[in-house]
Amino acid sequence: GVPPAMPTGCSMNIMMREMPDRCFDVGIAEEHALTFSAGLCANGITEITEIKVLQTIKYVDLIIQIIIVENMI
């Protein structure tokens, strides 16, 4: 899992405690979290990324231009 900003704000801290080898904390870097997760998926690793709805609006360009156009997912 890749948490958005703070793991405790989305309860991703529970997953981080239960499966520490499957979680990546990228800090307060939601844009990087999306790109990082897309890269993992492009390489066959199933990933969970949680992004708040209000944050998603800010990253529409990233999702379209980098992730979809580059066929990362």
Side-chain angles (χ1 to χ4, degrees):
V2 180
M6 305 300 286
T8 54
C10 65
S11 299
M12 188 79 76
N13 59 330
I14 298 167
M15 182 177 176
M16 293 175 90
R17 185 175 49 243
E18 296 295 321
M19 297 181 279
D21 58 326
R22 301 219 31 212
C23 296
F24 305 94
D25 188 357
V26 296
I28 303 174
E30 291 91 349
E31 185 173 348
H32 174 65
L34 283 174
T35 308
F36 179 69
S37 296
L40 290 173
C41 289
N43 287 293
I45 299 172
T46 303
E47 192 56 51
I48 298 170
T49 305
E50 184 175 333
I51 300 293
K52 306 285 184 193
V53 173
L54 294 175
Q55 297 292 340
T56 306
I57 295 168
K58 292 174 25 180
Y59 304 120
V60 169
D61 288 339
L62 170 76
I63 293 168
I64 293 172
Q65 293 176 3
I66 295 175
I67 298 172
I68 295 175
V69 172
E70 296 295 326
N71 292 321
M72 291 185 78
I73 56 172

